[in-house]
Amino acid sequence: QVQLVESGGGLVQAGDSLRLSCVASPRSFSTYGIHWFRQAPGGAREFVAAVTMSGANTYYAHSVEGRFTITRDNAKNTVYLQMNSLRPEDTAVYLCAAKLRGAAFPYSVYDYWGQGTQVTVSS
C-alpha cells in the first residue's frame, strides 16, 4: 500500500511561484513513477507532469512546459512540483499519482492517488 500526501498549495497572485510536495509512505517509493495532475472545478482531470523512478526523465503538458519543474528526492520519498509564473488558469486541485515502474508519460490507470492540494491564482 502506498500513501501519497500533497502539500504546498495556497492562494497566490498571477506571476507568483509555489512549490508543491508529494510525500509517499513506503520504502519502495523509488520503484514508482510519480505524476502530477490537476482538476479545476467542473473540469476533467488533466495531466501536468511526470518523473521516472530515478528522476532522470521528465515529461510535461504543453500548457506548463517552461514554467513548471518536477523533481524527486528518493531519500526523502518526495516529489516536488515547482510552479513559476503562475496564471489564473492554473487554478485547480493538484494531485499526485503513483505508477509502479512508471515511465515519463501519462497513463490511463494509476496504482495510487493522493487527496490533492488546492492552488488558487488570482489575477
Side-chain angles (χ1 to χ4, degrees):
Q1 184 75 15
V2 174
Q3 291 184 328
L4 303 173
V5 179
E6 303 93 335
S7 63
L11 172 62
V12 296
Q13 293 186 328
D16 286 350
S17 298
L18 278 176
R19 188 177 78 159
L20 306 184
S21 299
C22 172
V23 180
S25 57
R27 293 182 295 174
S28 58
F29 173 73
S30 62
T31 63
Y32 287 84
I34 301 295
H35 297 193
W36 282 98
F37 285 77
R38 66 187 181 186
Q39 188 163 16
R45 190 165 290 181
E46 175 189 15
F47 170 79
V48 175
V51 62
T52 52
M53 294 177 286
S54 67
N57 297 100
T58 58
Y59 179 76
Y60 298 91
H62 179 70
S63 59
V64 306
E65 195 164 18
R67 299 188 298 122
F68 291 11
T69 303
I70 186 170
T71 57
R72 70 187 293 162
D73 184 341
N74 285 341
K76 296 181 178 180
N77 281 11
T78 303
V79 169
Y80 303 99
L81 184 67
Q82 177 67 43
M83 307 187 297
N84 298 329
S85 302
L86 283 162
R87 305 167 180 169
E89 54 264 38
D90 294 320
T91 295
V93 174
Y94 283 72
L95 310 100
C96 60
K99 181 72 171 179
L100 185 63
R101 301 184 187 89
F105 55 81
Y107 291 87
S108 57
V109 178
Y110 286 79
D111 299 301
Y112 302 99
W113 287 88
Q115 293 299 307
T117 184
Q118 176 71 47
V119 172
T120 304
V121 185
S122 63
S123 58

